[in-house]
Amino acid sequence: MFEEPAPHPVTAKPTSASRITLAHIMTHHDTNLLGTVHGGVVMKLVDDAAGAVAGRHSEGPAVTGAMDEMAFLEPVRVGDLLKVQAQVNWTGRSSMEVGVRVVAERWNESGPGTQVASAYLVFVAVDAEGKPRSVPELILETDRDRRRYQEAQIRRTHRLARRRAIMELREKRAAEGLDD
């Protein structure tokens, strides 16, 4: 049902070539009215990490096209060291899905962290005029990479089907004179 990436005109790159981890200590400047770190702060770090990965993989500028399934699993507190881990999960002609995992550790403690958030973002590689450009094929190195690639294909299928269904509904409602 799911296929490996097809040969691509741009040089292929392995998942490990653009994988990164960003780290940031959360301070009181990052808090919301509840005293925990504002979700928007975490989202910006997620977008920053994903953008760096997309730029590395595509060897140039890439813009955020969509953010799927941003999930906040645990609250983040002042003093947490956030590790934002990102990698390319899937590539198309000009787009890439980047998976991001956010882990929190206390800044002054060692030991395993706690996963606090995750997200999937779609980036489009663009040229100097802002037009989509080709991205390298993704070389899947591990079974985990192959699983992520297959899951990304499912998310893409659902994203495109949702977009089509919404556009069809809007066209139908417009034809019936229900929407302005």
Side-chain angles (χ1 to χ4, degrees), residues 22 78-79 81 90 93 116 139 148 160:
L22 295 180
V78 169
L81 172 65
W90 175 90
R93 285 186 303 274
V116 295
I139 299 171
R148 287 178 174 160
L160 295 174

Side-chain angles (χ1 to χ4, degrees), residues 58 60-63 93-96 123-135:
S58 68
V63 295
R93 285 186 303 274
S94 62
S95 62
M96 303 157 273
F123 278 79
V124 178
V126 294
D127 63 18
E129 288 80 43
K131 305 262 192 258
R133 61 182 176 81
S134 294
V135 299

Side-chain angles (χ1 to χ4, degrees), residues 28-29 64 67 69 88 92 99-100 105 110 114 144-145 154:
H28 70 278
H29 295 291
T64 310
M67 179 180 274
E69 299 180 38
V88 176
V100 182
E105 301 173 4
S110 61
T114 301
R144 178 177 280 168
D145 292 341
I154 292 168

Side-chain angles (χ1 to χ4, degrees), residues 134-153:
S134 294
V135 299
E137 174 186 352
L138 189 62
I139 299 171
L140 306 174
E141 300 175 287
T142 67
D143 285 339
R144 178 177 280 168
D145 292 341
R146 285 181 272 287
R147 176 186 54 81
R148 287 178 174 160
Y149 185 88
Q150 291 172 342
E151 290 172 359
Q153 286 180 306

